Amino acid sequence: MRLAFDHLVGAASSLAEGVAWIEARAGSEMGTGGKHATMGTHNRLLSLGPGRFLEVIAIDPEAPDPGRPRWFDLDSPQMRQRLAGGPALIHWVVRAGEIQGALDALPGPKPEVLSLQRGDYRWRIGVPRDGSLASAGVQPTVIQWEGSHPADRLPDVGCRL
């Protein structure tokens, strides 16, 4: 099993607040993002070099209720209280060539594997059924990209991790 760092997840009470927070700290304008209909969220991305990016995510106020807990613990009272104090880096995601094998090798409860799509991006991602962070955030979320990777299309603004 080979895992590689994929991206950092920042979250905010609103996407505009999160974008302003990241741009002020990075000194660079964030790239595009989009909406995640399955989760009722939206995001913007910032390149951190080849194959890496920083995502800022928030609940999309225009989206219907997803009918399930949102990922990255965004529905929990604890996360909402944390984000009421301002945006924060909340998690990290690793990339696997084969997600099921990667998840089987990690200790602890196994998340549900969702197949998602936004535009021409397609991916599989492990999301606990209750929307919480994997192992309370200690373990990364695992993703498997199917096709192109968002970092390949983001402008390189010189930010590196």
Side-chain angles (χ1 to χ4, degrees), residues 41 115 121 157:
T41 57
S115 294
Y121 294 123
V157 294

Side-chain angles (χ1 to χ4, degrees), residues 12 22 37 40 52 55-56 65 67 77 79 116 119 127 131 140 144-145 147 149 154-155 159:
I22 296 294
R52 300 173 173 206
E55 167 185 37
V56 65
D65 184 293
M79 184 62 75
L116 302 175
V127 179
Q144 176 186 336
W145 292 98
H149 189 275
L154 291 170
C159 290

Side-chain angles (χ1 to χ4, degrees), residues 47 49-53 121 147-155:
S47 172
R52 300 173 173 206
F53 63 93
Y121 294 123
S148 63
H149 189 275
D152 297 340
R153 297 187 191 166
L154 291 170

Side-chain angles (χ1 to χ4, degrees), residues 4-8 46-54 93-95 143 145 149-154 160-161:
F5 174 80
D6 194 75
H7 67 278
L8 291 173
L46 177 72
S47 172
L48 296 176
R52 300 173 173 206
F53 63 93
L54 175 112
V93 179
V94 294
R95 179 173 53 250
I143 194 168
W145 292 98
H149 189 275
D152 297 340
R153 297 187 191 166
L154 291 170
R160 295 292 184 266
L161 179 65

Side-chain angles (χ1 to χ4, degrees), residues 27 31 38 50-51 55 67-69 76 78 86 88 111 113 135 140 147 154 156 161:
T38 302
E55 167 185 37
R68 62 162 293 138
S76 78
Q78 298 86 353
V113 176
S135 297
L154 291 170
D156 186 345
L161 179 65

Side-chain angles (χ1 to χ4, degrees), residues 24-79:
R25 279 148 185 81
S28 298
E29 188 174 317
M30 293 196 77
T32 61
K35 295 178 181 263
H36 311 107
T38 302
M39 291 292 166
T41 57
H42 53 174
N43 71 355
R44 295 268 305 271
L45 310 177
L46 177 72
S47 172
L48 296 176
R52 300 173 173 206
F53 63 93
L54 175 112
E55 167 185 37
V56 65
I57 193 165
I59 293 173
D60 183 351
E62 298 175 0
D65 184 293
R68 62 162 293 138
R70 290 176 181 88
W71 47 19
F72 303 120
D73 215 21
L74 292 176
D75 287 323
S76 78
Q78 298 86 353
M79 184 62 75

Side-chain angles (χ1 to χ4, degrees), residues 83-100:
L83 298 178
L89 288 175
I90 62 164
H91 201 50
W92 56 306
V93 179
V94 294
R95 179 173 53 250
E98 198 282 300
I99 192 169
Q100 197 59 58

